[in-house]
Amino acid sequence: MTGADAERRLRGLALHFGAFIVVIALLAVVDFAFFPERVYVIFPAVLWGAPLSLHTAYAMGLFDMFKRDR
C-alpha cells in the first residue's frame, strides 16, 4: 500500500467515523427525549458499527492479503 493510498483510506475512515458519531449522537438525543423508558439507539449503533469495524480493518490494510498481484 502506498502512502497516498493509506492517506485516502484513513481520510475515508475519518469521514465515516465522524458521520457515525454525529448521527448516533442525534439519534440518542431523539431517543432519550421521546422514549426515555427504552434505549432504541443501540440498534442503529450496532448495525452501523459492524460495517464501520470492517471499514477500519480495510483502512488498516488487513484485507490486502486477499488482493491479487497484477
Side-chain angles (χ1 to χ4, degrees):
M1 177 168 42
T2 64
D5 190 37
E7 287 181 26
R8 183 184 54 81
R9 287 182 182 194
L10 288 176
R11 196 174 325 114
L13 177 62
L15 288 172
H16 191 174
F17 187 69
F20 174 80
I21 294 298
V22 169
V23 171
I24 295 301
L26 289 173
L27 286 176
V29 168
V30 170
D31 187 17
F32 295 132
F34 291 105
F35 306 105
E37 67 279 353
R38 303 232 188 219
V39 181
Y40 291 113
V41 72
I42 194 73
F43 297 114
V46 169
L47 290 174
W48 192 353
L52 182 60
S53 66
L54 290 173
H55 192 170
T56 303
Y58 169 75
M60 293 173 59
L62 296 179
F63 295 126
D64 288 346
M65 70 177 97
F66 301 113
K67 191 184 283 188
R68 290 185 182 174
D69 292 332
R70 295 176 191 188

